Amino acid sequence: VNTQRDKIYADRRRAVLADNLDALMVEYAEKTADEIVEANIDANGDPSEWNLDSLAAKMVQYCYLLDGLDGDALRGVVAEGGFEGLRSHMRQLAVDAYHTKA
């Protein structure tokens, strides 16, 4: 618990002292997308077994601006770029959503 609190206070301090919050918010959006992908997809597993519908639902739960994202769209991303392509795509969606909302 103390570790979490220390992390929160450190992040808060970074935000308060930041000259430009945009870069910090983009970093948070990318980190969150990475965490969602890594929690839902086994990078070493068979891509045909990845539950991309569930991943899409988790991303929409994280950000309502991604409503309409579905597993079918993500299957195309995976077919072209595998795990890293999927991660990159999800990061970009999160950053684009932040910029849309900002």
Side-chain angles (χ1 to χ4, degrees), residues 2-99:
N2 285 336
T3 303
Q4 287 178 321
R5 187 177 342 175
D6 291 344
K7 171 99 175 85
I8 290 168
Y9 284 133
D11 288 347
R12 181 174 157 239
R13 195 170 20 260
R14 277 182 65 200
V16 168
L17 298 175
D19 291 332
N20 179 0
L21 282 179
D22 186 64
L24 189 58
M25 295 306 294
V26 165
E27 179 184 332
Y28 286 145
E30 290 176 338
K31 271 186 181 180
T32 301
D34 283 348
E35 290 171 1
I36 292 170
V37 170
E38 291 167 5
N40 288 276
I41 300 296
D42 177 5
N44 297 317
D46 182 352
S48 67
E49 295 180 12
W50 294 349
N51 190 340
L52 298 174
D53 294 313
S54 177
L55 175 62
K58 289 290 184 187
M59 286 298 290
V60 171
Q61 182 180 0
Y62 156 66
C63 178
Y64 69 90
L65 293 172
L66 299 177
D67 189 38
L69 180 66
D70 62 23
D72 289 336
L74 297 181
R75 278 183 262 294
V77 171
V78 169
E80 289 183 25
F83 181 80
E84 288 305 321
L86 178 63
R87 181 198 319 255
S88 177
H89 180 72
M90 298 307 255
R91 289 175 120 207
Q92 190 60 55
L93 288 176
V95 170
D96 290 348
Y98 161 68
H99 284 130

